[in-house]
Each structure stands twice: as structure tokens, then as C-alpha cells.
Amino acid sequence: MSIETQHSGGGTWARTSGLAAVRGFGLALVALPGAVLCLVLSLVSIALIPIGVGIVTTPWVLTGVRAFADWRRVVAAEWGGVRIASAYRPLPANANPWGRTFGMLGDPATWRDLRWLPVDMTAGFLTALLPAVLLLYPVEGLALAAGLWRAFPDGYWYAFVPVTGQASAFGAGALALVLLLLFRLLPAPVLRAHFRLTRALLTPSQGELAERVRVLTETRQDAVDTSAAELRRIERDLHDGAQARLVAMGMDLGTIELLLDKDPQKAKELLAQARKSSVDALAELRDLVRGIHPPVLAERGLGDAVRALALRLPLPAEVTVELPGRADAPVESAAYFAVSEVLTNAVKHADAQRLWIDLHHKDGTLRISVTDDGKGGAVIGAGSGLAGVERRLGTFDGVLAVSSPAGGPTMVTMEIPCALS
């Protein structure tokens, strides 16, 4: 819910300003220690990289910094209506600590977060706290005017007013009234300024956005090329398979019609052949439909579709599914055909005896792993099926990681960011 800015009555401005003060106070209480802790841990961890300790600790610390920054993005959107883009580069789930450390340090978003932390603990803290100060500080001034000044016989400073007697206490009370007037106008705009300051520091630069556009353009072109290739495959399969069988069956039926009276035995043989052709054509059409979009995928979801896929494999396969809901249809389709391609590679090239397939969803990411006990040696390269899988996943910002040492085993991990419904 965004902060209300209209002041249609006394109750409205009081509620709006009071809500901004409470939110700003709570935000300041969390933001200051959070920013200090994140900055100190980050600097110490990065400083320890040369002696090896930082290789292990830095990914954990920077992941915490990202979680802290993402939480502030959510707060800015819900409390201030200020949306802040997040553009962290994905990392393979099975990357080693070295790869994760330098992968994260090579991401400009990491350094943007680190630059934001000192600003957040100073200017960000003050702009978050100011709405609460405008509410609470006038109370002190009014209390001094009401007689609290007598508790300070040596004098007391209220802002820039030295309170030494009742007259100066009234001056403090007048200043408190002015601050109360400001409290009517400023808390919501000040808190919004805090969120805009956060946005100015956390928003990706134009260069990063341009890089993002370039990647999306490439993945879109890959998707177009893949769709065109798929259409050509369907046309070829229809022309060379089902269509040819249906034509042959029509010719057989025509011959049967001519032989029905002259040579019933031959007609009977051709009739059996025509029936076999119809069964083969129907099977090919079913395979073709399954290759376009399996009915079980549309009706029962990704988990059951992968289980059905595993049942058709010539190898024993163990499938584990932990999906509390369903992803969007395009995501399910991409994941299904990616799994299908990986399984086909394992059956054809891995010389495996057994397969394990795991599907689960966590932290907004659909994660699929396919493991075989084959000979290993799988790589992602031009012309390989895994390169096609990588392009297919890239259309949805997904990533592919392969661990396949010589001698096996091979583990292919696929991740697609998505929500389940």
C-alpha cells in the first residue's frame, strides 16, 4: 500500500503522517544496524580473500547483503510506491566457492549494493527517522513549556532555544508548535524521499540495462529460431510419416475395392495391411502431438509429465517431485522439453545404468537436476543437445550447469525463476 498524499481532512493527515512516522521509526531501527553489519562483514570478508578464508565466507555475506537490499526494495514498493529494479546475475547452484565468490564480485550489482550501504546508514537513516522526530520532539517542547524546565536548574537547550525560565520555556513551546505544523506536512514526503534515495542508489545503471536488453534480444532470437526449427520438424514428420501412410492406405483401399470380387484372398491381405498402416499412422500422430505439447503436461502438470516421461525410458529412473503448485504453461513446457532432451542425451551417450530426476521449487526458482551413473564427459558446446537446452532455458532467464567429470557421474542442473500458482 502506498503512502497517502492527499489531505482531505484532519483525520486523513493525522493518519497519514502518523503512519509515516511509525514506519520511518521502525525502518530506522532496522536499517542502521543492518547496513552497518552488512558493510562491516562485507569489507572484512573481502579483505580475507587473499588468505583463502574470504573465498568461503564472501558468497554467504554477499548473499545476505542482497537479501537485505531486496527487502528494502519490497518495503519501498509497499510503503512508498517506489519500485526498484533488481538485476543480479544468476549463479549456477553447483558452482564451487571460488566461482561463486568471483562471480558475485564480478557482478556490478554487488558493488552497487556496497556503495549504497554507507549512504543508507547515514542519509538513509536520518530521512527514515525524521518523520518520527517531527512527531516526538514537539512533545518535549510542550512539556518544557508546561513546567518540565524546572527539572533542569542549570538550563536546558531545546533545539536552538536555551531554556532557563518560564519565558524561554514558552519559546520552546512555540517552537514545538511550529514543528507540529511541519509534522502535518512533511512525514510522508520525507519518507518517500528516503525511498527515492534508495532507488537512486540501487537501480541498475543504463549500461546494465542495455546489457540486459542485449541478452533478452539474443534469447528472443534463439526462441524464434527454435520455434522455426520445430515447425520444420513437424512439417517433415507429417510429410514423411503420417501423411505417407495415409496415402498408402488410400491406395490400398482403392486396390481392395477392385480386387474384392476378383481375388478376395488378396483383398483380405491388403485390408490387413491397410489396417496396420492406419494403426502406425495413428501412433505417429500421437507421438507428434506428444512432441508438441504432451496432454499429460497440460492436464496434470510438470511433475506427472516427467514421471510419465521416465516410464518410457529404457533405463530405470527414480523421480522425486516437490512442487506445491504449477508454473505458467510456457515455463512448464520449457522445463519438460529440457528434461526430455537431457534424458535423451543420457540414454544415448552416457552409457548409464540408472537415472535420478529431482524437481523442486524454492525461493522463487524451479530447480531440476538429472543425474546418471554413466561415463561422464558431457559438455555444453556448439552443436550439442545441452547447448539447445541452455538456449531454451535462457528464454526464461533460466540457467544450466553441468558437472560431468571423466568416469562419471553426470549431474545436469537446470534453474528457472518462476512463481507457482
Side-chain angles (χ1 to χ4, degrees):
M1 183 177 68
S2 62
I3 297 174
E4 298 289 346
T5 57
Q6 297 180 354
H7 308 274
S8 56
T12 301
W13 75 259
R15 184 169 57 253
T16 301
S17 298
L19 183 60
V22 171
R23 287 176 168 176
F25 184 69
L27 187 59
L29 287 180
V30 178
L32 180 60
V36 172
L37 182 64
C38 287
L39 183 62
V40 171
L41 290 178
S42 298
L43 295 178
V44 171
S45 183
I46 293 173
L48 293 176
I49 288 178
I51 62 173
V53 177
I55 296 294
V56 178
T57 59
T58 299
W60 294 97
V61 172
L62 293 182
T63 299
V65 173
R66 291 184 176 189
F68 183 63
D70 283 338
W71 173 70
R72 299 295 294 278
R73 290 183 174 95
V74 173
V75 171
E78 294 185 351
W79 289 1
V82 177
R83 302 196 176 278
I84 307 172
S86 177
Y88 297 112
R89 293 176 182 172
L91 294 171
N94 61 344
N96 57 37
W98 181 277
R100 291 182 66 81
T101 296
F102 289 98
M104 297 180 85
L105 291 178
D107 187 351
T110 297
W111 299 103
R112 186 171 53 244
D113 288 350
L114 296 181
R115 288 193 297 269
W116 161 70
L117 289 174
V119 178
D120 188 57
M121 70 178 66
T122 52
F125 171 75
L126 293 176
T127 51
L129 189 62
L130 185 57
V133 171
L134 290 174
L135 173 63
L136 298 177
Y137 199 49
V139 175
E140 181 184 346
L142 294 176
L144 289 170
L148 182 63
W149 65 274
R150 293 186 178 88
F152 305 99
D154 297 333
Y156 183 81
W157 282 88
Y158 180 74
F160 54 85
V161 178
V163 179
T164 57
Q166 187 62 56
S168 56
F170 282 145
L175 178 58
L177 292 176
V178 173
L179 294 177
L180 278 179
L181 180 62
L182 294 177
F183 174 72
R184 174 171 181 159
L185 303 174
L186 291 182
V190 169
L191 188 58
R192 190 177 299 109
H194 167 85
F195 293 133
R196 287 175 176 167
L197 175 65
T198 305
R199 180 176 62 185
L201 294 166
L202 287 182
T203 299
S205 65
Q206 290 298 319
E208 291 174 73
L209 293 176
E211 174 66 14
R212 177 69 177 156
V213 170
R214 185 188 67 78
V215 172
L216 289 176
T217 301
E218 289 183 354
T219 55
R220 184 186 63 179
Q221 186 59 47
D222 287 339
V224 171
D225 293 342
T226 302
S227 297
E230 191 69 8
L231 284 175
R232 289 194 295 272
R233 183 188 68 79
I234 294 171
E235 291 174 354
R236 184 179 63 251
D237 290 349
L238 282 174
H239 182 268
D240 297 341
Q243 180 179 338
R245 293 188 184 282
L246 290 173
V247 170
M249 187 172 66
M251 295 174 64
D252 288 343
L253 290 174
T255 305
I256 291 169
E257 188 176 13
L258 295 175
L259 295 175
L260 197 58
D261 296 328
K262 298 178 182 178
D263 190 349
Q265 183 61 33
K266 183 65 175 178
K268 189 176 180 180
E269 294 175 1
L270 290 176
L271 192 59
Q273 182 177 332
R275 185 170 62 249
K276 182 178 182 303
S277 295
S278 70
V279 172
D280 293 342
L282 183 60
E284 289 183 0
L285 286 173
R286 284 174 175 167
D287 290 341
L288 188 61
V289 169
R290 191 180 296 115
I292 297 172
H293 194 75
V296 66
L297 177 62
E299 297 170 1
R300 301 178 60 178
L302 180 61
D304 285 341
V306 172
R307 288 191 182 98
L309 188 63
L311 290 175
R312 296 197 299 271
L313 295 174
L315 302 176
E318 181 178 331
V319 182
T320 302
V321 178
E322 295 179 3
L323 299 177
R326 295 189 59 174
D328 292 339
V331 174
E332 283 193 332
S333 180
Y336 173 83
F337 286 107
V339 172
S340 177
E341 181 68 29
V342 172
L343 291 175
T344 300
N345 287 346
V347 171
K348 286 184 177 179
H349 308 299
D351 194 20
Q353 301 299 316
R354 191 171 183 82
L355 296 163
W356 293 266
I357 308 166
D358 178 75
L359 298 90
H360 65 274
H361 186 271
K362 185 178 181 181
D363 299 331
T365 300
L366 172 64
R367 187 170 290 111
I368 305 171
S369 64
V370 178
T371 307
D372 68 63
D373 58 356
K375 59 185 180 182
V379 295
I380 304 175
S384 75
L386 291 176
V389 172
E390 188 177 41
R391 288 196 300 272
R392 186 188 293 274
L393 298 180
T395 307
F396 299 91
D397 287 342
V399 295
L400 172 73
V402 178
S403 173
S404 183
T410 295
M411 182 175 184
V412 179
T413 304
M414 296 164 278
E415 294 183 350
I416 305 177
C418 65
L420 301 185
S421 60

